[in-house]
């Protein structure tokens, strides 16, 4: 059976309690669209309240620490996310990789810690503009996958991969559908290499400037199992337009 398209909003470092209204509106709409799986990743300060505010949608963290607990001022442990009501966490977002020096090895360790805490994980990968221009995009992403994906038993069952070209994040630029198709095919092949049959069912999300205007086209690409949405997830209206696009595709 083909799994539901998965549309995840990444609020990044945005949102105070007023944002809970957006979460509620997203939740109400998602309840009417059972053929799409919807989730939001609010900032850690809003996780618990978001969980309390919604009924249908998934709620997740944006990052977690490698260690289970300890003297890591300012960091959040996977078990704390779980305790606050998270279903999943994102790890390896390019903003974490670039601004916090997270290597593939760190991302892998975080993914393992999250799985160990009972969370699902979304592992992000993606090339820079220079890497794409040099013709290395697919090899870069395949290497990121080989080194950042968790390998513990049954890891594939609780895993999604988000392909997010760094140059497309927050820029309004998106790759061509041909490039998305080629990359997602390469990601699928790599997942099967790593996990065997289970790698065939891991959802591969596209992320980077997904908006209402391009969502239908991007979500229709072969092997695109959903979207990780940043800027356009900050209002229920713009996020739901993307969720709606996913729902309409499912009907066609
Ligand atoms: P964007 O961000 O939709 O604002 O480009 C996507 C992401 O970083 O996950």
């Amino acid at each position: 059976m083909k799994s539901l398209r998965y549309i995840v909003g990444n609020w990044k470092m945005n949102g105070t309690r007023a944002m809970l209204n957006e979460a509620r509106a997203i939740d109400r709409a998602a309840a009417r669209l059972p053929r799409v799986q919807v989730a939001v990743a609010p900032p850690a300060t809003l996780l618990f309240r978001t969980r309390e505010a919604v009924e249908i949608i998934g709620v997740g963290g944006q990052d977690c620490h490698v260690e289970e607990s300890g003297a890591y001022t300012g960091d959040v442990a996977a078990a704390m996310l779980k305790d606050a009501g998270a279903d999943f966490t994102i790890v390896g977002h390019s903003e974490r990789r670039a601004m916090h020096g997270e290597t593939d090895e760190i991302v892998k360790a975080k993914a393992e810690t999250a799985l160990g805490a009972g969370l699902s994980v979304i592992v992000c990968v993606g090339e820079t503009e220079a890497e794409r221009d040099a013709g290395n995009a697919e090899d870069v992403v395949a290497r990121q996958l080989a080194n950042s994906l968790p390998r513990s038993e049954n890891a594939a069952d609780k895993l999604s991969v988000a392909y997010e070209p760094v140059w497309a994040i927050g820029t309004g630029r998106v790759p061509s559908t041909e490039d998305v198709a080629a990359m997602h095919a390469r990601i699928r092949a790599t997942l099967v290499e790593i996990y065997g049959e289970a790698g065939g069912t891991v959802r591969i999300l596209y992320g980077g400037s997904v908006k209402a205007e391009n969502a239908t086209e991007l979500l229709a690409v072969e092997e695109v199992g959903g979207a990780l949405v940043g800027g356009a997830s900050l209002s229920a209206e713009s996020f739901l337009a993307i969720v709606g696009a996913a729902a309409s595709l499912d009907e066609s």
Side-chain angles (χ1 to χ4, degrees), residues 10 12 93 95 164 168-171 207-211 228-232:
N10 171 15
K12 308 191 179 184
H93 190 281
E95 287 151 16
E164 300 202 300
I169 295 176
T171 59
S209 294
V210 178
K211 309 260 179 283
L228 183 55
V229 184

